[in-house]
């Protein structure tokens, strides 16, 4: 048996230890308020055109940094705090939540709009380079003690991703890009960015309330169907990974909220925290499409072929198990044939430690793009487990549809004649029809089973005692 669980523990980034977005409550410090003012003071240099609205908020960097030792609650502190109200009608001192890089506050602009203000913690920028250096030293020390374990990829990923996460303007651009990319999903809400009040260290966005995606009590109270939410989440991420190759890679419950839309009453997913995205190359994305198609349809020759194309070499069985979080026996039988059982899951976790050397070797050979995809897969699987929807076939069906569409789009683009493009379109339509038919049969089967169970229970309750 093999295990993705241990693989993901190895993949946790030292620089990105979240406390759960918007989870930890604490009072805003004087230095943080000064950081907000200071960041706003650099607005003219850092934002897009249209930033002249903040001209009155420009404050000297040197002047503000000299006041970091001002005691909280003192008269001088209150004077500095009043500068925030040049920008906001009200600003809640108590953050909605805090994580390792920033914390978020609720505020109201002078025009009445309610906004969420994401403020980067003071000194994070300066400290990050020291943290990466420390990580590199520790990884080299581990390599000296255990030559077979190579974790330098952790350092490489930290060097690449942390600067992007610390640039809140980059986060805003990611939010707008994914909102446009998935605009055909009416169940998805990405908060609007207020560019005129945002900088590299302060991000202002539309304030949207909701419950965390793993909060079953919230969903039950608000009459939100957990199966519908799980299906929507699967559609959204399948589209990102297989069709667009632009993937939000931090879908932990604090970054994925659910709510009823105020206008229609339909269930809606709110996607937050757009700092960490993975851009997939076309070659990687298409190979990954082929691999998942092969896993879903139990074509083991192609599972081997495309696993090896993605760097798994002779470890392709382990790679398949890591992707699916299933045992090799289940992969060979067909991951869609039967849902994961508690026994299988427990067996995988209990036997995982013996495969650590192989997992380490595999992580060093797969493309770097795969690391964040593995992390994302594990976070999504954790949400499904919490919601009790992991046994549903909807995830595999949504992935199949996206793989078919992505591969057909690629083939049509390379086709040299109208006839060939038409042929590919018909093949695509037929494959999508097959998937829909399979989905319908599963639903009918489920309804029949439900009817049988209901009839049996009715008979048992009416039977003479």
């Amino acid at each position: 048996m093999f295990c993705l669980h241990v693989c993901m523990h190895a993949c946790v980034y030292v620089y990105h230890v979240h406390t759960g977005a918007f989870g930890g409550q604490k009072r805003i410090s004087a230095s943080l308020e000064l950081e907000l003012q200071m960041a706003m003071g650099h607005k003219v240099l850092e934002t897009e055109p249209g930033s002249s609205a903040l001209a009155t908020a420009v404050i000297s960097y040197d002047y503000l940094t000299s006041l970091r030792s001002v005691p909280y609650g003192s008269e001088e502190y209150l004077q500095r705090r009043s500068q925030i109200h040049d920008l906001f009608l009200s600003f809640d001192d108590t953050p909605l939540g805090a994580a390792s890089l920033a914390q978020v506050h609720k505020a109201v602009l002078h025009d009445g709009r309610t906004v969420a203000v994401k403020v980067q913690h003071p000194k994070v920028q300066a400290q990050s380079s020291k943290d990466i250096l420390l990580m590199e030293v520790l990884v080299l020390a581990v390599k000296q003690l255990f030559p077979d374990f190579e974790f330098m990829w952790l350092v490489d990923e930290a060097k690449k991703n942390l600067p992007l996460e610390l640039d809140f303007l980059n986060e805003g651009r990611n939010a707008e890009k994914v909102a446009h990319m998935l605009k055909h999903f009416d169940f998805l809400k990405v908060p609007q960015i207020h560019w005129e009040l945002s900088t590299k260290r302060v991000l202002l966005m539309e304030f949207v309330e909701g419950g965390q995606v793993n909060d079953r009590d919230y969903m039950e109270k608000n009459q939100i169907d957990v199966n519908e939410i799980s299906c929507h989440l699967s559609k959204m991420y399948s589209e990102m990974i297989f069709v667009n190759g632009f993937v939000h890679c931090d879908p932990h419950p604090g970054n994925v909220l659910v709510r009823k839309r105020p206008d229609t009453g339909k269930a809606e997913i709110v996607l937050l925290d757009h700092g960490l995205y993975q851009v997939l190359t076309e070659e990687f994305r298409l190979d990954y499409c082929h691999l998942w198609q092969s896993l879903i349809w139990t074509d083991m020759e192609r599972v081997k072929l495309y696993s090896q194309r993605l760097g798994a070499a002779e470890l392709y069985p382990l790679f398949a198990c890591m992707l699916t979080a299933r045992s090799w026996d289940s992969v060979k039988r067909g991951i869609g044939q039967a849902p994961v059982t508690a026994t299988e899951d427990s067996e995988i976790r209990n036997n995982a430690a013996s495969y650590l050397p192989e997992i380490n070797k595999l992580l060093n050979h797969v493309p770097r793009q795969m690391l964040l995809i593995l992390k994302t897969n594990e976070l999504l699987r954790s949400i499904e487990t919490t919601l009790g929807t992991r046994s549903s076939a909807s995830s595999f069906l949504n992935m199949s549809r996206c793989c078919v569409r992505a591969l057909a789009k690629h083939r049509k683009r390379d086709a040299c004649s109208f006839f060939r493009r038409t042929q590919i379109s018909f093949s695509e339509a037929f494959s999508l029809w097959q998937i829909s038919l399979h989905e319908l049969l599963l639903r009918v089967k489920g309804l029949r089973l439900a009817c049988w169970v209901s009839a049996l229970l009715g008979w048992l309750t009416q039977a003479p005692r």
Side-chain angles (χ1 to χ4, degrees):
M1 306 296 178
F2 305 96
C3 184
L4 180 59
H5 176 69
V6 171
C7 164
M8 288 302 97
H9 280 295
C11 285
V12 171
Y13 297 103
V14 176
Y15 67 89
H16 199 234
V17 182
H18 285 290
T19 59
F22 311 155
Q25 298 294 320
K26 60 181 180 181
R27 193 159 183 80
I28 186 172
S29 64
S31 61
L32 180 55
E33 290 185 348
L34 294 176
E35 183 68 22
L36 175 62
Q37 299 169 16
M38 182 176 67
M40 289 297 187
H42 278 62
K43 172 73 180 127
V44 175
L45 297 178
E46 295 177 341
T47 62
E48 297 182 349
S51 62
S52 58
L54 273 188
T56 57
V58 176
I59 305 168
S60 166
Y61 179 96
D62 293 333
Y63 177 63
L64 283 172
T65 52
S66 69
L67 294 171
R68 288 187 180 276
S69 60
V70 174
Y72 181 84
S74 67
E75 182 178 352
E76 192 173 2
Y77 164 83
L78 294 175
Q79 289 176 351
R80 299 305 162 214
R81 185 183 182 281
S82 68
Q83 296 179 42
I84 292 180
H85 293 285
D86 292 338
L87 300 171
F88 305 107
L89 184 64
S90 67
F91 187 95
D92 290 353
D93 282 0
T94 303
L96 297 171
S100 54
L101 302 182
Q103 60 191 54
V104 177
H105 296 262
K106 185 178 180 180
V108 179
L109 300 177
H110 286 286
D111 61 9
R113 290 177 295 173
T114 302
V115 294
V117 187
K118 183 174 181 179
V119 187
Q120 197 171 108
H121 294 315
K123 301 183 180 179
V124 165
Q125 293 272 0
Q127 188 63 38
S128 62
S129 57
K130 298 176 184 176
D131 291 342
I132 292 176
L133 178 61
L134 176 61
M135 187 196 307
E136 189 166 9
V137 171
L138 291 174
V139 166
L140 290 173
V142 168
K143 183 171 176 60
Q144 290 297 318
L145 294 172
F146 306 99
D148 291 339
F149 286 84
E150 174 60 73
F151 291 108
M152 191 53 68
W153 55 267
L154 273 173
V155 180
D156 295 337
E157 288 299 295
K159 287 179 178 178
K160 181 185 75 174
N161 292 320
L162 188 54
L164 295 175
E165 290 193 81
L166 291 174
D167 182 355
F168 288 175
L169 294 180
N170 177 68
E171 178 176 342
R173 289 189 290 269
N174 287 342
E176 288 196 339
K177 181 175 180 178
V178 80
H180 177 74
M181 190 176 78
L182 303 180
K183 63 183 179 181
H184 55 289
F185 288 148
D186 60 0
F187 58 78
L188 175 63
K189 173 68 176 178
V190 177
Q192 181 183 357
I193 304 299
H194 297 297
W195 289 109
E196 74 277 8
L197 293 172
S198 296
T199 75
K200 284 189 175 182
R201 297 190 301 277
V202 179
L203 186 67
L204 263 74
M205 67 202 93
E206 176 186 3
F207 180 78
V208 183
E209 291 184 288
Q212 291 192 0
V213 71
N214 63 344
D215 189 344
R216 290 181 63 99
D217 292 337
Y218 174 88
M219 284 190 258
E220 184 176 343
K221 180 180 177 181
N222 290 273
Q223 298 181 322
I224 297 174
D225 184 356
V226 294
N227 290 296
E228 182 183 8
I229 291 298
S230 182
C231 183
H232 286 343
L233 202 58
S234 171
K235 285 181 181 178
M236 193 169 76
Y237 268 88
S238 294
E239 191 87 9
M240 285 191 221
I241 294 171
F242 299 112
V243 178
N244 295 287
F246 185 68
V247 190
H248 180 288
C249 288
D250 200 16
H252 68 75
N255 289 339
V256 185
L257 307 183
V258 294
R259 67 169 188 168
K260 282 288 187 73
R261 284 185 58 171
D263 52 347
T264 64
K266 293 183 179 179
E268 185 174 57
I269 292 176
V270 182
L271 191 61
L272 305 174
D273 197 346
H274 299 270
L276 187 61
Y277 271 74
Q278 180 65 67
V279 179
L280 308 180
T281 65
E282 183 173 65
E283 180 182 6
F284 176 94
R285 181 174 59 84
L286 295 174
D287 284 343
Y288 196 59
C289 281
H290 281 296
L291 176 56
W292 265 107
Q293 270 197 324
S294 305
L295 286 166
I296 292 168
W297 299 113
T298 324
D299 185 340
M300 301 313 297
E301 285 299 318
R302 287 167 67 85
V303 167
K304 178 179 179 180
L305 170 65
Y306 287 104
S307 294
Q308 292 179 339
R309 282 177 63 93
L310 288 168
E314 76 280 359
L315 294 174
Y316 73 92
L318 172 61
F319 186 51
C321 295
M322 288 167 61
L323 284 177
T324 59
R326 301 295 298 272
S327 69
W328 181 236
D329 287 339
S330 294
V331 172
K332 289 189 292 184
R333 285 196 302 267
I335 54 177
Q337 296 301 312
V340 62
T341 63
T343 301
E344 180 185 358
D345 191 54
S346 176
E347 188 177 356
I348 289 172
R349 293 175 184 274
N350 292 336
N351 294 335
S354 59
Y355 291 97
L356 280 176
E358 289 82 3
I359 290 172
N360 174 66
K361 181 179 178 181
L362 184 58
L363 292 176
N364 275 287
H365 285 88
V366 296
R368 290 291 170 258
Q369 301 164 76
M370 182 61 70
L371 300 178
L372 284 179
I373 296 299
L374 288 170
K375 174 197 172 187
T376 303
N377 286 349
E378 179 68 3
L379 289 170
L380 292 172
R381 215 160 2 240
S382 175
I383 291 173
E384 287 184 338
T385 300
T386 303
L387 295 180
T389 59
R390 190 175 169 190
S391 61
S392 170
S394 64
S395 292
F396 293 142
L397 293 170
N398 288 326
M399 292 166 70
S400 294
R401 286 189 179 96
C402 285
C403 288
V404 167
R405 287 169 47 217
L407 293 171
K409 182 180 179 180
H410 173 71
R411 291 178 185 130
K412 281 187 282 189
R413 190 188 65 190
D414 291 347
C416 56
S417 68
F418 174 78
F419 175 77
R420 178 57 183 153
R421 285 191 292 273
T422 303
Q423 188 180 33
I424 294 168
S425 294
F426 275 115
S427 177
E428 175 189 7
F430 181 71
S431 296
L432 292 174
W433 177 81
Q434 283 183 304
I435 294 170
S436 296
L437 179 61
H438 182 65
E439 183 177 30
L440 179 61
L441 292 174
L442 288 175
R443 287 181 179 178
V444 170
K445 183 179 178 181
L447 288 172
R448 288 176 61 190
L449 179 61
C451 290
W452 291 339
V453 171
S454 178
L456 177 61
L457 290 175
W459 179 80
L460 290 175
T461 56
Q462 294 174 9
R465 296 180 182 274

